[in-house]
Amino acid sequence: MRGFVAGMALALAPWVVSGCSTPSASDSVQGHLGLVVTQVGADSAWAPSQDPSKRYPIGSRIVYVRSNGAAEDVRLLSGALAAAGSPAISPRGDAAIFAGRADADGRWSIYKTSLERGRPRRLVEFSGDCIDPAYLTPQRIVLSCRTSSLEDWQLYTAAPDGSNLRRISFGIGAATGPAALTDGRIIFSQAERRATGPGSEERVALYTLNPDGTLLEPFSGSHDPGAARLQPREGDGVVFVVASRPSTGWSGLERIEMGRPQSGRVELEFPLRPLSVEASSDGELLVAAESRVPDQVGRRTAGIYRWIPGGGEPSPIFDTTDWAETEVRAVSTGLDRASRNLPSSIDPSRSVGTLVCYDANRSDGEVGPKRDSAVLTKIAIEGATRTGRSASAIELSRHAVESDGSFALEVPADTPVRLRSLDSDGAVIATSSWFWVRPGEVRACFGCHEDRESAPVNRPVEALAKYAQALSDAQGTSR
Amino acid sequence: MKNRGKGRSVGQSVLSALLVLAIGAPAAWFGAKSLVGIHIESKTGRPAEKVVACWYCHGEVAPAPRRDVADSSAYISPAGLAVTSGGERLLVVGETGDVLLVVDPATGSVVRRVDLPGAPHDVATSADGSTVAVALRDADRVVLLDGETFEVRGELPAGREPLGVRFVPSTGQILVANGGSRDVMALTADGGQVRRWGAGTEPYAVAVSGDSQVAAVANRRALLRPEPLLPATELTLVDLVGGRVDDRRLLMSSHLVEGVALSSDGSFALVPALRVRNYLPTTQVARGALMTASLVFVETAPGGRTVYFPLDETNAYYADPSDVVLTPDDRLAFVSHGGANAVSVVDVGALKNRVESSSAQELEALAEDLGAFAEYVVARIPTRDNPRALAVSPDGSQVFVAERLSDSVAVIDTERLEIVQRITLGDAEPDATRRGEIVFHDASGTFQGQFSCRSCHPDGHTDGLNWDFEIDGIGLHRLETRSLLGVRGTAPFKWNGKNPDLATQCGPRFARVLTRAEPFAEEDLADLVTYIQSLPLPAPRPVDPQLEDAVERGRELFFRTTTNSGVEIPLGDRCDTCHRPPLYTHRLKTDVHSGGSFDTPHLLGVADSAPYLHDGRAASLEEIWTVFNPDDTHGVTNDLTKVQLNELILFLRSL
């Protein structure tokens, strides 16, 4: 062990101070200050990925590092688990939840343990794998699960004791790495696969979602083929994310402005290869990062750094010889940045949702319909059929588009669907990404591939007068 | 045997009693219900849609009090600011404190206090500093004070509800924006009325260009425009030299326009506005779906452009933009956000560059671009509760911010762009009503802080707009916002009459269908209800003595039981059956064939709450009967002569 870098307690001051703002929780903060870190054996092969087996090879573990910098103050949290990762700290700062597997071939499950004592206990009963837990509020956690390795990771929410598990995402492609935003939404990484044509390379973009699974919205990166954005974390008015481009081996740290998430994304000049990031309320970052050069014996090395964007070299605060530190979470109460508890707007008694488009001709022109090149007359709605990990589209129905570009239709709930805009000859003008609606959800689209930083235009909408067109026979031909 | 027989007898009795209860109680309940239903029908002339408890109609209900000139409270509520010409004194008028406070900005201390009953709302100083004018909202007057001693020198009659006041530098004339009478007056200090121009809906603020050529009047609420026209607020541009209204510029989809600033040469005006999306259903709040804050750049020359610059961000909103000031060099604009507790600082040069460098199509797209703020918003300065009125020091080094619900004034250094001083005006501890007022004005209770209660209910009143609430089906029943003034005792609430009390109206369901955010905390909700119940009715409209007889004849028509030809009017078709005094509502739902059965609104202060009917289809009281009552389904009125209808309306306007 290279040992702790002196001054770690000072380094963590911003996280501690913010936590101390809640008097009722201050005792637990005083007692639990430190870091929770994922360690991967220095000789292991590992890579940032949505796939937990790549992120957390056998032998990976979770440790709690107290702040006084003494070696004996590292406590193993993942016990005898064969592999563990993706830790999250409870809002009171007294416990951690994380993903782990009991043996090399076992399923990934969610575990919880006190930071100070006891062994991890399994939290969620699920027939498949579960990873990436995060606290939404003290009353609710979010996680990512899949029923088998052939299925995509989907988001679920649960009570903090693991009960009351509810699925909230229904997309095509893996949904992983959820985190709470202070406004109450969830931000997460969604893999998208485009079948053919320009931009067909897989991308992992950031999306937001309400905790009840409604209001899926692209946040950033959905127009960046070949790029992956993982582990988003909210800072003060910004989101930090680890970005990579697997085909070139590039990775970097990005800052995305909440105020303009599509256009306000910048790559930070972080000199190391970032693996995970945590933001404090005063702009400091804790970054788990890999050195861009191997150590003397040719092994990859990674440690925990404190860094102020634009503030020079990152300061190492925790680094060990035998382990690569690949993820870091700061222990604080978290209550100073508590997420809002958003109400649910779904109606479980319904099997459909409603989709209202105000103007399908409104587009930023990148791939959407262009009014001058083709006249949009119909909308086809397509569902997905799955064969293993591949999905093919089936047309469910076609609907007329009103003269003002609007349409309103009912969509089967809790299943992936996408839209195709068609001209008068039935030729496809544009195809949307896969999305879903929840039962009873009324989803409004302001345009078709319109600028996602734009508000809707106030005007009478023809389709609203013809609201509640029933979804016609869900028959179609496989594409 | 005896005992067994007795036991059997007791058991039989109990069984019988249970049977009687099991059969009799529901029967009695249904019987009582039908009796109540019959009773209601006998009193309303229409089948009862809902059975209500006896107290519902027979309990004692006192209408809410009226706004009163004599009212003042423990709180100051700074509503208007002005700085004397040399910058030595900051003048603050307290609307609920009925006071003018003279503050030494160097020390932050109040050096003089002048009682001014009548809800002082705005204050201005003459160019030479000799005179101070204060608009008294509830007293329909402008008070003139000496600019050095601050002694009251006299008062001028204004229109109804004067809200804004400014001096014309070159002439010394006083311009007054009268919110109630919807006009602007030019007065001389000796009481002469030079001009009176009609304005938009609720003229609220006046600005005069430094060269005294142009005046701009911000009108707070949207004009009454029939659908499918977009709502629009008028910016009234007055040619002060020619003495005429030069332009009535429409600010499209705009509402809550409470401030205006003119550049020193009068070539452009800046107007904060809340831009509404009321034609779209309330399916979500995110991405500015309901309303956004904008700063409107208006070229004042005839045919000049009107450009909307959003002040919000894609994931953060700056609700309820209120006032705006320009630094004397026209370099920076400061905009207060009453619902966001913040002041935005805008680079005016960036606005001009954008206007000059963009095509008309690009400027149109800009209006909805929530990422555009980064081009021109240079700072956001957090404040205390409900920042509203602003004033800039003559040298441009400081901007003063009236923190209305904190009873304080924040002082912003215009170089550092931060608050450098806070002037405390009052220290009264907020009671439940005041705490509720703060909740009412604070947008943090809505998703990403996009709007507050006040956004649709300015001063508790109505925005006069129709909204398409998702909950009853999108595209159906676009409902007019109902005024909250005098709402106490008028339960149930909502147009469908489903909410029995205000706590329900503003409770978790409200969060689910409208604010899309965490419901109000229990104690905040209780305070909010207390505040809403405290909202007074509008001040009574004085009746012209010459019209008193006509009002009386209107009253007789309201309570009449026979038509002009002597035919008895069915009970259900008489005005006072459904609009029963003292609230002028029987609080039940009624179908007047306007498109459904709706809660019967009360009529107190009805003259101020246009438009009318559940979807606001009637722009005036007259239209209710001349346009939308062809079959006498909303009271028998078609036999009335034109004069009689006018008299009926005069009576209603007196309520």
Side-chain angles (χ1 to χ4, degrees):
Chain A
M1 180 179 285
R2 268 176 248 150
F4 297 100
V5 173
M8 181 172 150
L10 187 63
L12 290 174
W15 282 268
V16 183
V17 170
S18 62
C20 287
S21 63
T22 307
S24 62
S26 60
D27 286 346
S28 63
V29 173
Q30 299 293 335
H32 296 142
L33 166 67
L35 305 177
V36 171
V37 174
T38 301
Q39 290 184 316
V40 176
D43 295 319
S44 303
W46 49 271
S49 168
Q50 287 188 290
D51 181 349
S53 299
K54 291 180 182 169
R55 269 190 274 168
Y56 314 122
I58 296 304
S60 59
R61 64 181 200 168
I62 309 281
V63 296
Y64 170 39
V65 185
R66 293 184 184 86
S67 64
N68 60 8
E72 60 271 21
D73 271 349
V74 175
R75 176 174 133 75
L76 178 65
L77 297 181
S78 52
L81 293 173
S86 63
I89 313 300
S90 68
R92 290 190 63 82
D94 57 356
I97 53 177
F98 55 89
R101 63 201 311 187
D103 52 62
D105 300 321
R107 289 176 168 162
W108 288 96
S109 191
I110 305 302
Y111 291 83
K112 180 175 185 177
T113 185
S114 161
L115 292 184
E116 291 297 338
R117 66 189 69 82
R119 288 179 300 178
R121 63 181 177 81
R122 197 164 150 168
L123 201 64
V124 175
E125 293 299 328
F126 188 72
S127 58
D129 298 302
C130 290
I131 56 170
D132 292 350
Y135 280 89
L136 290 175
T137 65
Q139 293 80 37
R140 206 77 190 153
I141 63 171
V142 61
L143 59 157
S144 194
C145 301
R146 65 180 178 189
T147 51
S148 78
S149 59
L150 294 177
E151 298 293 325
D152 287 322
W153 295 97
Q154 302 290 350
L155 299 185
Y156 289 70
T157 62
D161 64 0
S163 63
N164 197 15
L165 191 68
R166 292 180 192 165
R167 183 173 168 180
I168 60 166
S169 82
F170 303 86
I172 301 284
T176 60
L181 294 174
T182 49
D183 63 24
R185 294 176 299 165
I186 296 164
I187 186 166
F188 66 102
S189 301
Q190 172 77 56
E192 291 183 295
R193 286 189 294 271
R194 299 248 176 185
T196 55
S200 63
E201 210 173 348
E202 179 171 287
R203 73 202 72 183
V204 182
L206 299 180
Y207 279 72
T208 58
L209 187 67
N210 282 352
D212 65 352
T214 59
L215 204 61
L216 174 73
E217 280 276 344
F219 183 78
S220 191
S222 56
H223 296 156
D224 195 359
R229 289 181 170 79
L230 302 171
Q231 303 222 25
R233 287 292 181 276
E234 186 180 8
D236 189 12
V238 295
V239 165
F240 294 97
V241 67
V242 175
S244 64
R245 200 170 292 280
S247 60
T248 63
W250 171 86
S251 70
L253 197 57
E254 289 182 341
R255 183 182 60 208
I256 304 168
E257 290 179 37
M258 289 290 287
R260 41 190 205 119
Q262 305 277 320
S263 58
R265 189 178 68 218
V266 295
E267 184 189 343
L268 300 173
E269 292 183 359
F270 185 70
L272 305 174
R273 189 187 303 276
L275 302 169
S276 88
V277 62
E278 181 98 333
S280 80
S281 55
D282 69 350
E284 270 200 0
L285 301 181
L286 274 182
V287 188
E290 181 185 2
S291 170
R292 295 202 184 268
V293 291
D295 66 7
Q296 298 91 323
V297 293
R299 296 184 305 188
R300 299 166 69 188
T301 62
I304 309 302
Y305 296 82
R306 185 178 65 135
W307 188 58
I308 300 172
E313 289 295 305
S315 307
I317 58 170
F318 182 66
D319 195 359
T320 59
T321 309
D322 300 327
W323 299 92
E325 283 73 30
T326 62
E327 291 175 326
V328 60
R329 303 285 173 255
V331 179
S332 70
T333 67
L335 296 176
D336 60 323
R337 194 178 274 168
S339 184
R340 305 289 292 270
N341 192 6
L342 299 183
S344 174
S345 58
I346 66 174
D347 178 355
S349 68
R350 303 203 63 195
S351 61
V352 297
T354 304
L355 181 68
V356 185
C357 177
Y358 298 146
D359 183 2
N361 290 310
R362 186 180 175 197
S363 168
D364 65 5
E366 190 174 333
V367 295
K370 297 181 178 65
R371 194 186 287 271
D372 54 354
S373 59
V375 178
L376 190 160
T377 57
K378 282 190 184 302
I379 284 288
I381 182 160
E382 296 182 334
T385 56
R386 305 293 298 264
T387 310
R389 298 209 64 190
S390 61
S392 55
I394 288 183
E395 184 171 311
L396 302 179
S397 57
R398 290 190 178 200
H399 302 265
V401 174
E402 306 300 331
S403 61
D404 64 350
S406 66
F407 60 86
L409 49 91
E410 292 196 338
V411 179
D414 291 354
T415 186
V417 291
R418 69 180 185 184
L419 300 176
R420 290 195 150 190
S421 52
L422 311 172
D423 67 13
S424 55
D425 298 326
V428 175
I429 301 173
T431 304
S432 77
S433 302
W434 292 100
F435 66 98
W436 66 87
V437 296
R438 298 303 320 273
E441 178 184 3
V442 182
R443 172 77 61 79
C445 301
F446 304 166
C448 179
H449 203 275
E450 84 285 8
D451 179 356
R452 292 285 172 164
E453 290 177 359
S454 65
V457 177
N458 189 36
R459 64 175 181 83
V461 177
E462 287 179 23
L464 290 176
K466 299 177 181 175
Y467 163 63
Q469 293 176 21
L471 184 67
S472 57
D473 297 341
Q475 300 289 326
T477 52
S478 180
R479 220 169 274 279
Chain B
M1 284 291 284
K2 264 187 179 176
N3 282 345
R4 276 207 302 273
K6 190 175 176 183
R8 197 161 49 233
S9 163
V10 169
Q12 283 171 345
S13 301
V14 170
L15 200 63
S16 303
L18 287 173
L19 268 173
V20 168
L21 274 175
I23 298 167
W29 167 245
F30 286 115
K33 262 184 88 168
S34 62
L35 277 177
V36 172
I38 292 167
H39 174 66
I40 290 173
E41 186 169 350
S42 74
K43 296 297 180 187
T44 64
R46 294 172 187 240
E49 288 193 28
K50 181 183 168 190
V51 173
V52 294
C54 301
W55 62 263
Y56 200 84
C57 299
H58 298 285
E60 220 169 281
V61 179
R66 298 277 182 175
R67 272 186 83 96
D68 192 329
V69 174
D71 279 353
S72 66
S73 79
Y75 310 105
I76 303 294
S77 307
L81 301 176
V83 185
T84 53
S85 51
E88 306 88 356
R89 293 289 181 260
L90 170 69
L91 309 180
V92 186
V93 286
E95 185 172 14
T96 60
D98 282 346
V99 69
L100 166 72
L101 300 174
V102 182
V103 177
D104 178 353
T107 62
S109 56
V110 176
V111 297
R112 181 79 200 271
R113 180 187 172 103
V114 183
D115 291 333
L116 293 174
H121 192 266
D122 198 11
V123 58
T125 59
S126 61
D128 62 3
S130 64
T131 309
V132 172
V134 176
L136 298 180
R137 178 179 193 165
D138 285 354
D140 297 345
R141 284 176 295 146
V142 171
V143 173
L144 300 179
L145 301 96
D146 184 277
E148 287 202 2
T149 65
F150 302 103
E151 297 291 334
V152 174
R153 283 208 308 231
E155 59 183 45
L156 310 174
R160 205 161 66 81
E161 213 178 334
L163 296 170
V165 61
R166 286 292 179 271
F167 283 89
V168 179
S170 63
T171 64
Q173 289 176 1
I174 303 159
L175 300 182
V176 186
N178 298 306
S181 49
R182 301 185 179 188
D183 53 30
V184 185
M185 301 165 90
L187 305 171
T188 56
D190 60 5
Q193 182 178 308
V194 182
R195 296 275 182 181
R196 191 165 186 164
W197 304 281
T201 306
E202 204 178 3
Y204 199 88
V206 191
V208 180
S209 63
D211 59 8
S212 300
Q213 303 282 309
V214 184
V217 180
N219 297 276
R220 177 152 75 164
R221 290 190 289 146
L223 299 166
L224 298 174
R225 286 154 54 94
E227 296 188 357
L229 294 176
L230 293 178
T233 303
E234 178 180 310
L235 178 70
T236 315
L237 295 170
V238 180
D239 173 358
L240 291 172
V241 179
R244 60 187 172 83
V245 172
D246 219 20
D247 198 355
R248 296 185 184 277
R249 196 69 63 87
L250 295 184
L251 310 183
M252 305 309 296
S253 291
S254 297
H255 153 72
L256 205 71
V257 178
E258 296 184 333
V260 57
L262 275 166
S263 61
S264 45
D265 64 359
S267 63
F268 67 89
L270 295 178
V271 188
L274 197 57
R275 301 201 69 229
V276 296
R277 293 172 178 85
N278 66 321
Y279 270 102
L280 309 179
T282 59
T283 59
Q284 68 181 67
V285 172
R287 280 184 63 197
L290 294 192
M291 56 191 81
T292 49
S294 281
L295 184 61
V296 192
F297 183 95
V298 179
E299 292 176 335
T300 55
R305 287 167 289 191
T306 302
V307 182
Y308 305 88
F309 287 90
L311 293 172
D312 290 329
E313 305 174 9
T314 309
N315 286 295
Y317 294 84
Y318 293 85
D320 302 346
S322 187
D323 202 2
V324 58
V325 289
L326 272 164
T327 49
D329 57 4
D330 292 342
R331 187 174 61 89
L332 293 175
F334 292 74
V335 181
S336 57
H337 300 271
N341 295 340
V343 170
S344 292
V345 186
V346 175
D347 177 351
V348 178
L351 303 185
K352 290 190 205 171
N353 289 341
R354 183 66 188 260
V355 172
E356 291 308 320
S357 62
S358 303
S359 67
Q361 195 177 6
E362 288 168 335
L363 292 178
E364 189 181 338
L366 170 68
E368 321 298 345
D369 184 354
L370 298 176
F373 72 95
E375 288 177 37
Y376 44 83
V377 174
V378 295
R380 309 278 196 188
I381 302 171
T383 69
R384 288 187 181 165
D385 294 321
N386 197 221
R388 299 275 285 276
L390 301 170
V392 62
S393 62
D395 64 0
S397 65
Q398 292 180 318
V399 165
F400 301 93
V401 186
E403 296 166 320
R404 188 176 180 278
L405 295 177
S406 294
D407 281 351
S408 54
V409 173
V411 185
I412 294 173
D413 182 308
T414 58
E415 285 299 320
R416 292 161 59 185
L417 298 182
E418 60 185 31
I419 292 174
V420 293
Q421 185 187 4
R422 181 160 273 115
I423 300 165
T424 300
L425 305 175
D427 55 4
E429 190 66 25
D431 60 9
T433 304
R434 187 68 161 185
R435 291 194 305 269
E437 188 175 6
I438 292 169
V439 174
F440 188 88
H441 288 72
D442 185 351
S444 65
T446 60
F447 183 68
Q448 294 180 335
Q450 190 173 114
F451 56 95
S452 70
C453 305
R454 192 178 90 94
S455 301
C456 297
H457 296 282
D459 294 344
H461 202 20
T462 170
D463 57 13
L465 302 175
N466 291 348
W467 291 88
D468 181 4
F469 287 94
E470 176 203 339
I471 195 70
D472 62 353
I474 57 173
L476 304 168
H477 293 152
R478 297 189 64 242
L479 297 174
E480 188 235 345
T481 306
R482 291 173 74 164
S483 174
L484 299 177
L485 299 181
V487 77
R488 188 179 79 192
T490 65
F493 303 104
K494 281 182 73 173
W495 276 109
N496 65 14
K498 279 190 176 170
N499 287 336
D501 50 48
L502 288 168
T504 307
Q505 172 78 10
C506 307
R509 186 178 165 82
F510 182 71
R512 194 168 78 83
V513 302
L514 186 62
T515 67
R516 312 270 173 179
E518 203 161 358
F520 291 118
E522 202 172 314
E523 55 273 26
D524 286 345
L525 180 60
D527 290 341
L528 179 64
V529 168
T530 302
Y531 169 67
I532 295 173
Q533 287 182 326
S534 79
L535 287 168
L537 287 159
R541 289 179 175 238
V543 175
D544 185 334
Q546 293 182 334
L547 295 175
E548 281 176 357
D549 291 345
V551 171
E552 177 55 25
R553 288 194 293 276
R555 194 190 71 79
E556 288 168 3
L557 286 168
F558 185 85
F559 289 99
R560 71 181 183 153
T561 57
T562 58
T563 65
N564 282 338
S565 55
V567 177
E568 184 173 347
I569 300 172
L571 187 62
D573 293 332
R574 297 174 191 168
C575 303
D576 66 321
T577 300
C578 301
H579 295 287
R580 188 162 64 97
L583 296 172
Y584 289 87
T585 172
H586 63 0
R587 305 196 300 158
L588 299 169
K589 284 168 72 176
T590 309
D591 185 354
V592 294
H593 292 210
S594 62
S597 185
F598 297 101
D599 180 52
T600 304
H602 73 81
L603 300 182
L604 299 171
V606 70
D608 289 303
S609 62
Y612 303 103
L613 298 177
H614 72 279
D615 55 2
R617 65 180 67 179
S620 64
L621 288 167
E622 287 86 347
E623 280 191 10
I624 295 174
W625 298 287
T626 56
V627 180
F628 298 109
N629 192 35
D631 301 318
D632 281 343
T633 51
H634 191 169
V636 173
T637 56
N638 283 312
D639 66 312
L640 296 178
T641 65
K642 193 174 174 180
V643 170
Q644 284 178 311
L645 186 60
N646 286 340
E647 290 171 342
L648 174 64
I649 289 165
L650 276 175
F651 166 68
L652 294 174
R653 292 173 70 84
S654 73
L655 292 175

